[in-house]
Amino acid sequence: MGHDLDVEIKYSKESRPLGTAGAIKFAAGYLSGVSDFLVMNGDSFLELDFCRFLSFQSGAPRNNE
């Protein structure tokens, strides 16, 4: 899934509910060496132009700049 769109999708399933921040911390191992990532919860729905969002994000100043 995602290969047709040239994206890599990884799923992280916790053995017990960890809450939003806990789930992101739990998935940190998937982010090693990754500078940009998008986290979405399975129970979230939004209409978003991801290409436009990523284009905006890539042009936005970083926290360390």
Side-chain angles (χ1 to χ4, degrees), residues 35-56:
S35 60
D36 295 315
F37 61 92
L38 176 65
V39 175
M40 297 183 69
N41 291 327
D43 60 351
S44 299
F45 175 81
L46 64 135
E47 289 187 42
L48 178 67
D49 181 335
F50 286 101
C51 291
R52 187 172 173 205
F53 174 78
L54 292 172
S55 177
F56 171 81

Side-chain angles (χ1 to χ4, degrees), residues 2-59:
H3 294 280
D4 293 343
L5 302 173
D6 195 29
V7 296
E8 183 177 358
I9 299 174
K10 293 186 179 182
Y11 297 90
S12 171
K13 185 174 180 180
E14 56 217 33
S15 59
R16 61 181 171 79
L18 301 174
T20 301
I24 293 170
K25 179 68 175 167
F26 179 76
Y30 289 105
L31 304 174
S32 178
V34 175
S35 60
D36 295 315
F37 61 92
L38 176 65
V39 175
M40 297 183 69
N41 291 327
D43 60 351
S44 299
F45 175 81
L46 64 135
E47 289 187 42
L48 178 67
D49 181 335
F50 286 101
C51 291
R52 187 172 173 205
F53 174 78
L54 292 172
S55 177
F56 171 81
Q57 187 278 334
S58 65

